Amino acid sequence: MSILMILSFPIAFLIHDMEEIIVQHKWMLAHKEDLLRRLPRLRSMILHLSSLSTKAFTIAVIEELVLLLLATAYYLIGGPYAVEVWVALFVSFSVHFLVHIGQGIIVKGYVPGVITSILLLPYSYYGISSICKEMDCGKLVLLGVIGFISIAMNLRFAHWLGRKIE
C-alpha cells in the first residue's frame, strides 16, 4: 500500500462524514414517519438515529476520526499488527459505502452519505485492490469482518458519547 493511500484515508473519512453531518438529522426528521411505516423491523434504529442531534452526531464522528487518526499513526510508526488494524478499518469503511448505496436503493432515493459513497467507490476499489496484492484475500475478508464488527460496536459507544457530551 502506498503512503498516499494510508494518509488519504482520514481525508476520505472526513469527506464522507461531512455529508452525513450536514444532512443526517434534518433528513431523519423529514423521513422518520415514512421509514417507520415502511421498515417496522428497524423501528428502534430509526428512532435512535432520528433522535441524534447534529451536535451529538458530530461528536460521534470526531470520536471515530480520533480512532482512525490513531490507527493511521500506529501504521506509520510500524506498530505490531498495525497493517491488520488499518486494513480492518479500511475494508469496513469501504463496505459501509455499499450499505449506504443499499439504503438508497431501499428508500428509492437519497439517504445521508450516499453521494460520497458513490464518489468514493473507486478510491475503495483501488485501496482494496492494492491490499489484495500484498495480502491473502481470505485474510482480507476476515479482517473486514472483524473491522465491521468492531466499528459497529464502537458506533454504539460514539453515539452514546455524543449524547452524553451534548
Side-chain angles (χ1 to χ4, degrees):
M1 290 174 291
S2 73
I3 194 72
L4 182 59
M5 178 58 64
I6 304 305
L7 295 176
S8 64
F9 184 19
I11 296 166
F13 174 88
L14 275 174
I15 290 167
H16 173 71
D17 276 54
M18 285 306 297
E19 177 189 2
E20 291 183 306
I21 287 170
I22 291 166
V23 299
Q24 187 273 342
H25 185 67
K26 287 182 182 179
W27 188 92
M28 283 302 298
L29 292 178
H31 294 86
K32 176 180 160 183
E33 295 306 320
D34 182 51
L35 293 171
L36 288 169
R37 184 181 48 74
R38 292 177 58 202
L39 306 165
R41 289 185 175 170
L42 300 178
R43 180 178 181 78
S44 63
M45 182 185 297
I46 293 165
L47 293 175
H48 168 74
L49 291 173
S50 62
S51 72
L52 275 178
S53 69
T54 300
K55 184 177 179 181
F57 191 82
T58 302
I59 292 165
V61 167
I62 291 168
E63 185 271 348
E64 292 178 313
L65 177 62
V66 167
L67 291 179
L68 177 56
L69 290 170
L70 288 171
T72 301
Y74 188 62
Y75 178 94
L76 292 172
I77 64 169
Y81 301 103
V83 171
E84 288 81 0
V85 169
W86 192 91
V87 167
L89 293 175
F90 186 84
V91 172
S92 61
F93 179 68
S94 298
V95 169
H96 127 266
F97 290 157
L98 300 178
V99 171
H100 281 300
I101 293 166
Q103 290 169 334
I105 291 168
I106 289 168
V107 303
K108 297 179 179 145
Y110 176 81
V111 295
V114 74
I115 292 172
T116 51
S117 292
I118 292 167
L119 293 174
L120 288 169
L121 275 178
Y123 169 79
S124 290
Y125 175 79
Y126 174 77
I128 291 173
S129 296
S130 297
I131 295 165
C132 277
K133 291 176 184 172
E134 299 178 24
M135 180 180 288
D136 174 72
C137 284
K139 185 176 181 181
L140 174 76
V141 170
L142 176 62
L143 290 172
V145 169
I146 291 168
F148 204 78
I149 292 168
S150 299
I151 293 300
M153 290 171 41
N154 182 68
L155 190 57
R156 292 181 64 94
F157 170 74
H159 285 186
W160 172 86
L161 183 65
R163 285 184 168 197
K164 190 77 169 170
I165 293 174
E166 178 190 38

